[in-house]
Amino acid sequence: MGFGNEITSGKFTIYAQWSAIIALLRIVNFIHIIPFAIIGFVGAFFLVWLEIPLLTRCCPGGPRMDRFTKIFSNTLFRSMLYAAFSVVLWLSILMKSTSFLAAAVFMSISAVFYLVSVGRGEDLERSSITGPRAAVGAASQV
């Protein structure tokens, strides 16, 4: 399935994945408020680890990290994690108005998309660009 087909597929887990990746691009600018910067970089690490499976292929984290990642393969837990991340982003905006507004909005959208996927009974599905098939394809080309 190509990227265009994914966008029109109606699968909310794919929509949530892409909105989380867009939010991640804005979290990189998290240096302004030091306490939130530390929390933001930890959150960004988990976002990259959860949403881009290529890292799990290249840098296996061991059994402890595998158990942690397995917990968040459930879309309900993933929705709760992203809701918590979005609360942190919204709180940082209350302290100092920065460009995190876009990150907070997209992280909230991602949490809502995962919650809608829970309501619809969808399984966690990855995009063809960032999913495991892309990771295996990239690894086989090396």
Side-chain angles (χ1 to χ4, degrees):
M1 177 176 352
F3 181 70
N5 292 339
E6 290 176 354
I7 297 300
T8 59
S9 69
K11 295 181 180 171
F12 283 90
T13 57
I14 292 177
Y15 300 157
Q17 180 186 15
W18 280 107
S19 60
I21 290 172
I22 292 170
L24 177 68
L25 297 176
R26 298 304 311 159
I27 290 175
V28 173
N29 191 17
F30 220 128
I31 303 290
H32 301 295
I33 307 166
I34 298 300
F36 288 106
I38 294 167
I39 296 168
F41 282 122
V42 170
F45 169 76
F46 284 117
L47 278 175
V48 169
W49 195 267
L50 290 172
E51 294 299 345
I52 304 175
L54 178 63
L55 290 178
T56 58
R57 300 276 190 213
C58 297
C59 310
R64 199 183 251 175
M65 192 59 149
D66 290 343
R67 283 193 305 269
F68 178 78
T69 305
K70 197 72 116 172
I71 291 170
F72 291 104
S73 64
N74 181 337
T75 53
L76 179 61
F77 289 129
R78 203 172 274 228
S79 175
M80 291 188 301
L81 177 70
Y82 288 2
F85 286 160
S86 67
V87 166
V88 170
L89 289 169
W90 287 109
L91 289 175
S92 73
I93 292 169
L94 290 176
M95 289 186 69
K96 182 178 179 183
S97 182
T98 62
S99 63
F100 292 129
L101 180 62
V105 167
F106 278 103
M107 190 61 66
S108 300
I109 289 171
S110 183
V112 168
F113 280 153
Y114 275 125
L115 195 60
V116 169
S117 73
V118 168
R120 293 179 68 182
E122 292 180 11
D123 290 330
L124 185 63
E125 188 168 327
R126 302 286 92 211
S127 171
S128 63
I129 295 172
T130 62
R133 287 169 287 194
V136 171
S140 66
Q141 293 177 357
V142 172

